[in-house]
């Protein structure tokens, strides 16, 4: 090639490269508000995708779902029917405009919070009474429910996850009677994935009544178009003592986790930590991300250390997800403090098991070290903070 032509081409290439915009760093993961209807401005039809108000016209001329006193109100009368053996007055989905509504799609992470008021007339029942659900359009079992059961003779409020075989798994519960007649704060945080998670919190003012998380939940059923939440009263008539009653909800907000980084801001993968001694990564078919850290313990210095963030100083719940065939223990030290023992019992090296312990975290970054100087430790998949 002619040197002059080559020089011109090189100069043009440099000019073009200089004209290209600099790469923009990926945005940090953040909770983005997507939906927050206000009963003062948004009617029931404007706030929700669909309304299921006495679909069988069993109580003709009566509106059961409406705005009342700054909240959305759901009435239920003993005569109301949605089929031969049940009652249903519910809303579904999150409307953002005249024909627009939100769709929760695969691998998305959401946090849906609101306040609810359960009067004494809305009591626990021996058959099902659901006051919130997550479902897919059409028929079929829910993915999770908030319900009012009688358990061991005691009225409860609980949340259950429903797997694909329609087997239920309790996320958490607390006694119902002490919280009836009060405004409560509740939040569902979840990842819509074949291997997701579901976290439920329930608070009475500044008191946390429930803060539980269930991992390895199948919250995406393959061919689902999208997920949508439901609120209202859906109950069986096969319980004694049913009364005319109601439910109130207000301050509804739905946040989606957007931006880069982890799709679970409270989870820390073991392979993202720092290793010392013999500790190293290995593949794991049942682990989050398909990877774990093994060869921990069995001597001084064989450890993995994770950098865990906390928005404020105080006691937090640390859930350790590990793998072991039999029983082994971690020693866990936070910020160089005294270690506590966390023992895990499992069946094989590819099926995670978990244990939750209380730890004291400082505001900001915290160093959490997993080791066992005297014996071999389990393998580590990840940890979660609540």
């Amino acid at each position: 090639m002619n040197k002059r032509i080559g020089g011109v081409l090189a100069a043009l290439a440099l000019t073009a490269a200089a004209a290209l915009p600099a790469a923009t760093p990926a945005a940090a993961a953040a909770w983005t508000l997507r939906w927050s209807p206000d009963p003062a401005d948004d009617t029931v039809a404007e706030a929700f995708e669909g309304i299921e108000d006495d679909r069988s016209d069993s109580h003709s001329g009566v509106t059961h779902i409406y705005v009342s006193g700054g909240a959305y109100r759901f009435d239920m009368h003993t005569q109301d029917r949605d089929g031969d053996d049940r009652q249903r007055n519910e809303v579904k989905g999150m409307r953002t405009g005249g024909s627009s509504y939100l769709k929760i799609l695969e691998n998305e992470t959401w946090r849906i919070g609101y306040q609810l008021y359960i009067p004494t007339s809305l009591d626990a029942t021996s058959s099902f009474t659901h006051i919130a659900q997550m479902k897919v359009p059409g028929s079929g079992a829910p993915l999770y429910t908030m319900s009012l059961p009688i358990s061991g003779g005691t009225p409860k409020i609980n949340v259950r996850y429903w797997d694909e075989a329609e087997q239920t798994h309790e996320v958490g519960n607390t006694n119902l009677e002490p919280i009836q007649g009060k405004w409560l704060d509740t939040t569902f945080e979840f990842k819509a994935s074949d291997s997701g998670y579901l976290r439920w919190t329930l608070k009475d003012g500044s008191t946390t009544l429930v803060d539980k998380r269930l991992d390895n939940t199948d919250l995406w059923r393959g061919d689902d178009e999208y997920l949508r939440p439901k609120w209202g009263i859906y109950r069986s008539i096969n319980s004694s003592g049913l009364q005319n009653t109601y439910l109130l909800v207000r301050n509804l907000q739905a946040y989606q986790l957007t931006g880069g980084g982890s799709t679970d801001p409270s989870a820390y993968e073991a392979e993202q930590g720092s290793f010392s001694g013999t500790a190293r990564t290995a593949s794991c078919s049942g682990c989050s991300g398909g990877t774990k850290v093994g060869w921990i313990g069995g001597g001084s210095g064989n450890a993995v250390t994770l950098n865990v963030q906390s928005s404020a100083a105080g006691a937090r719940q640390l859930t350790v997800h590990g793998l072991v065939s039999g029983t082994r223990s971690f020693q866990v030290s936070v910020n160089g403090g005294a270690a506590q023992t966390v023992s895990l019992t499992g069946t094989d090296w590819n099926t995670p098991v978990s244990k939750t312990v209380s730890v004291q975290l400082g505001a900001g970054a915290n160093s959490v070290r997993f080791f066992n100087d005297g014996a071999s430790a389990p393998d580590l998949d990840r940890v979660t903070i609540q």
Side-chain angles (χ1 to χ4, degrees):
M1 178 185 292
N2 181 287
K3 289 184 178 179
R4 183 172 181 276
I5 294 175
V8 171
L9 291 176
L12 289 173
L14 289 172
T15 302
L20 292 173
T24 302
W31 291 106
T32 301
L33 182 64
R34 299 291 307 279
W35 180 70
S36 57
D38 183 355
D41 298 319
D42 301 306
T43 66
V44 175
E46 291 170 330
F48 303 100
E49 178 186 341
I51 305 170
E52 297 173 340
D53 184 334
D54 191 20
R55 296 185 299 181
S56 63
D57 197 27
S58 63
H59 200 171
S60 182
V62 175
T63 298
H64 298 81
I65 306 172
Y66 53 96
V67 172
S68 175
Y72 296 105
R73 176 169 171 140
F74 304 83
D75 287 345
M76 185 66 74
H77 308 98
T78 56
Q79 72 185 71
D80 298 338
R81 292 291 183 274
D82 188 72
D84 294 335
D85 62 348
R86 59 197 61 201
Q87 305 175 300
R88 184 198 302 270
N89 289 320
E90 291 183 306
V91 294
K92 56 188 178 183
M94 302 174 286
R95 186 171 295 280
T96 56
S99 60
S100 302
Y101 48 86
L102 295 175
K103 293 183 176 183
I104 298 173
L105 302 177
E106 186 175 12
N107 292 324
E108 292 181 346
T109 302
W110 287 75
R111 179 183 290 165
I112 299 175
Y114 60 100
Q115 292 183 301
L116 73 160
Y117 183 95
I118 305 171
T120 55
S121 58
L122 180 52
D123 212 345
T125 53
S126 57
S127 190
F128 69 86
T129 293
H130 303 324
I131 58 174
Q133 303 184 65
M134 179 65 73
K135 298 194 72 175
V136 298
S139 59
L143 283 79
Y144 67 71
T145 53
M146 177 191 284
S147 307
L148 307 178
I150 295 175
S151 178
T154 302
K156 298 280 188 177
I157 180 172
N158 75 1
V159 166
R160 287 185 172 273
Y161 154 67
W162 296 57
D163 65 24
E164 196 164 11
E166 300 187 14
Q167 299 296 310
T168 62
H169 311 265
E170 186 166 89
V171 179
N173 76 82
T174 191
N175 290 343
L176 175 62
E177 291 180 349
I179 58 175
Q180 287 176 296
K182 297 181 178 182
W183 280 105
L184 309 169
D185 294 279
T186 192
T187 302
F188 293 94
E189 182 182 310
F190 57 93
K191 183 178 180 182
S193 167
D194 291 333
S195 182
Y197 72 94
L198 173 61
R199 178 183 177 188
W200 174 48
T201 62
L202 181 68
K203 296 182 178 181
D204 177 5
S206 61
T207 302
T208 299
L209 305 171
V210 181
D211 188 345
K212 295 292 186 180
R213 171 178 166 137
L214 189 64
D215 288 289
N216 299 315
T217 55
D218 181 0
L219 294 176
W220 190 259
R221 301 294 162 82
D223 58 353
D224 299 340
E225 182 184 359
Y226 64 99
L227 309 185
R228 61 185 176 193
K230 301 186 75 173
W231 296 269
I233 302 174
Y234 175 44
R235 69 181 182 181
S236 168
I237 64 171
N238 296 321
S239 295
S240 61
L242 294 183
Q243 306 175 63
N244 291 342
T245 190
Y246 65 94
L247 172 72
L248 301 175
V249 300
R250 69 184 186 189
N251 295 336
L252 290 142
Q253 295 183 321
Y255 290 83
Q256 183 183 359
L257 189 66
T258 59
S262 169
T263 55
D264 178 359
S266 64
Y268 299 86
E269 299 290 341
E271 61 268 24
Q272 296 173 348
S274 59
F275 316 142
S276 60
T278 59
R280 61 186 185 273
T281 60
S283 61
C284 170
S285 60
C287 291
S288 173
T291 305
K292 63 181 178 179
V293 175
W295 294 275
I296 303 168
S300 177
N302 303 324
V304 58
T305 302
L306 300 179
N307 182 10
V308 171
Q309 298 290 322
S310 179
S311 58
R316 302 290 296 276
Q317 297 299 301
L318 174 74
T319 301
V320 180
H321 303 263
L323 307 100
V324 64
S325 178
T327 299
R328 291 186 181 182
S329 299
F330 290 112
Q331 296 296 307
V332 181
S333 171
V334 177
N335 297 325
Q340 62 175 303
T341 301
V342 178
S343 295
L344 297 178
T345 300
T347 58
D348 62 73
W349 296 97
N350 281 289
T351 304
V353 292
S354 64
K355 180 166 287 187
T356 301
V357 295
S358 179
V359 295
Q360 290 290 328
L361 297 183
N366 294 264
S367 173
V368 183
R369 185 170 183 262
F370 295 82
F371 64 102
N372 189 328
D373 291 345
S376 295
D379 293 349
L380 184 62
D381 177 18
R382 62 176 175 152
V383 302
T384 56
I385 294 290
Q386 298 179 357

